[in-house]
């Protein structure tokens, strides 16, 4: 079974600085999708960024970018120019190509932005 | 686009009663809906996967007779917590697969007293 591990329960960063959240996963599949979701205090899950495993280029969405290392099974999220609104729980998630399209979530990282 | 509307956003019920949570896909057809449970400060735990017109597939350890899932149409999936007890108090979230990933409902906070 696939597993997703986020080893940082909490992270903090100064406003306008850069922070990187770590995520590793375990799978025997060669093709899959990886996601980062944000859950602010409202608890609404918001898609931050996604990466297709077959694409070598790292995904980027404005201030958010990933470092996808397929061989190392690592998928870290970098947030540049951190803003107060970035404070939230961040979940890394995996979805295989085959089967029921289930998302497997990591444990989450709580990000605090210090003004 | 691709909005899932979840209701109610919060509910308080007495122990022993049943509660129904609805998730509607507003601008797309959701053939598959996923139901999650989230405890405070924890991750989302998949409870079951529902497919329109067929029986839901429950994850190991989830009581199918307690958590009844119905997906009668392409725009509506429901989760009924039957004979609720205080230990069923939690945050429940539905999600549907869309082209770019998944879209989530806003969640339901259930408190059983």
């Amino acid at each position: 079974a696939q597993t997703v591990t986020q080893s940082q329960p909490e992270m903090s960063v100064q406003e306008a600085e850069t922070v990187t959240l770590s995520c590793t996963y375990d799978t025997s599949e060669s093709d899959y999708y990886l996601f980062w979701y944000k859950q602010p205090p409202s608890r609404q899950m918001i898609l931050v960024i996604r990466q297709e495993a077959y694409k070598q280029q790292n995904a980027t969405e404005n201030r958010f970018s990933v470092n996808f290392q397929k061989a190392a099974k690592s998928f870290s999220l970098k947030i540049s120019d951190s803003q107060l609104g970035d404070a939230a729980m961040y979940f890394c998630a995996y979805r295989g190509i085959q089967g029921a399209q289930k998302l497997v979530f990591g444990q989450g990282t709580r990000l605090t932005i210090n003004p | 686009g691709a909005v899932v509307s979840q209701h109610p956003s919060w509910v308080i019920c007495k122990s022993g009663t049943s509660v129904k949570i609805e998730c509607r896909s507003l601008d797309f057809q959701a053939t598959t809906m996923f139901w999650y449970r989230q405890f405070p400060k924890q991750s989302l735990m998949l409870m079951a996967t529902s497919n329109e017109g067929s029986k839901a597939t429950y994850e190991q350890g989830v009581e199918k007779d307690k958590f009844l899932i119905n997906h009668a149409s392409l725009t509506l999936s429901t989760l009924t917590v039957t004979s609720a007890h205080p230990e069923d108090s939690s945050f429940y979230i539905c999600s549907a697969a869309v082209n770019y990933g998944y879209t989530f409902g806003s969640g339901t906070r259930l408190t059983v007293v």
Side-chain angles (χ1 to χ4, degrees):
Chain A
Q2 294 82 14
T3 59
V4 177
T5 302
Q6 293 178 249
S7 59
Q8 305 155 315
E10 296 183 353
M11 292 281 285
S12 63
V13 63
Q14 289 295 126
E15 193 176 3
E17 297 293 309
T18 295
V19 64
T20 299
L21 307 184
S22 301
C23 173
T24 59
Y25 58 94
D26 188 25
T27 183
S28 58
E29 296 180 298
S30 59
D31 202 7
Y32 44 86
Y33 296 96
L34 295 165
F35 305 85
W36 278 98
Y37 279 92
K38 168 184 177 182
Q39 189 181 41
S42 68
R43 303 192 78 170
Q44 173 71 57
M45 296 289 284
I46 301 167
L47 176 65
V48 175
I49 201 165
R50 84 166 197 170
Q51 174 83 42
E52 292 91 340
Y54 67 86
K55 290 186 177 180
Q56 293 186 341
Q57 186 173 8
N58 289 323
T60 299
E61 286 289 342
N62 300 314
R63 299 182 295 107
F64 300 87
S65 61
V66 297
N67 183 1
F68 173 48
Q69 300 290 328
K70 191 173 184 179
K73 296 180 182 175
S74 171
F75 184 60
S76 61
L77 174 70
K78 185 172 80 171
I79 306 174
S80 304
D81 185 25
S82 298
Q83 300 176 1
L84 295 178
D86 295 333
M89 281 289 288
Y90 285 81
F91 293 100
C92 179
Y94 169 101
R95 194 207 103 176
I97 295 296
Q98 305 296 330
Q101 300 182 324
K102 295 190 294 187
L103 266 182
V104 179
F105 285 95
Q107 303 92 325
T109 297
R110 180 171 300 280
L111 178 63
T112 301
I113 311 296
N114 300 312
Chain B
V3 175
V4 171
S5 176
Q6 183 171 348
H7 292 280
S9 55
W10 61 271
V11 58
I12 301 173
C13 71
K14 291 185 177 180
S15 187
T17 62
S18 296
V19 173
K20 180 183 285 188
I21 301 170
E22 292 189 348
C23 279
R24 295 182 182 273
S25 54
L26 298 185
D27 48 5
F28 69 104
Q29 293 182 328
T31 55
T32 302
M33 195 74 78
F34 303 92
W35 287 92
Y36 296 88
R37 183 173 182 175
Q38 186 179 29
F39 291 105
K41 298 185 180 181
Q42 293 190 23
S43 187
L44 282 70
M45 181 190 76
L46 181 65
M47 300 173 64
T49 302
S50 72
N51 292 292
E52 184 267 336
S54 61
K55 289 184 178 180
T57 302
Y58 290 83
E59 296 297 303
Q60 191 173 5
V62 177
E63 298 176 61
K64 60 180 67 177
D65 293 331
K66 165 166 278 295
F67 300 101
L68 299 179
I69 291 173
N70 184 281
H71 196 155
S73 76
L74 288 172
T75 59
L76 175 64
S77 178
T78 62
L79 166 66
T80 301
V81 183
T82 63
S83 186
H85 291 286
E87 57 264 31
D88 299 325
S89 298
S90 192
F91 191 70
Y92 294 88
I93 309 175
C94 61
S95 173
V98 293
N99 289 340
Y100 52 85
Y102 298 81
T103 185
F104 289 80
S106 53
T108 297
R109 181 181 301 280
L110 170 63
T111 301
V112 185
V113 298

